[in-house]
Amino acid sequence: MEKSPLATADEAAEFLRTTSRKLAEARYRGNGPRFVKHGRRVLYAWADLKSYVEANTFQRTDDRPVSA
């Protein structure tokens, strides 16, 4: 069976080593990874999760995020 291009909130949380609750907070604040609303479900494209990680990867602790 082929892996779905969309991850559930629990799968996304596991990938990002966080909780689905923290992802919900990030969605509310607008500072988390991009997400898809499918009815009442929240899904994440694996490509968006990988892009989010890449955009939040730094060389030094005092580096600033690059605005998109």
Side-chain angles (χ1 to χ4, degrees), residues 1-7 11 46:
M1 188 166 134
E2 187 175 324
K3 189 175 188 177
S4 172
L6 297 174
E11 291 171 330
W46 288 107

Side-chain angles (χ1 to χ4, degrees), residues 1-22:
M1 188 166 134
E2 187 175 324
K3 189 175 188 177
S4 172
L6 297 174
T8 65
D10 288 337
E11 291 171 330
E14 183 178 345
F15 176 78
L16 296 172
R17 305 285 195 255
T18 189
T19 64
S20 54
R21 171 93 172 145
K22 290 286 185 186

Side-chain angles (χ1 to χ4, degrees), residues 9-64:
D10 288 337
E11 291 171 330
E14 183 178 345
F15 176 78
L16 296 172
R17 305 285 195 255
T18 189
T19 64
S20 54
R21 171 93 172 145
K22 290 286 185 186
L23 281 178
E25 290 174 16
R27 284 193 306 274
Y28 177 77
R29 291 189 176 124
N31 62 355
R34 293 169 48 95
F35 61 95
V36 175
K37 286 285 287 183
H38 182 63
R40 297 182 80 194
R41 290 188 73 187
V42 173
L43 301 168
Y44 295 86
W46 288 107
D48 288 337
L49 292 171
K50 291 173 185 171
S51 294
Y52 177 78
V53 169
E54 191 64 33
N56 288 282
T57 300
F58 304 100
Q59 189 70 30
R60 298 170 40 127
T61 57
D62 61 352
D63 282 351
R64 300 279 187 236

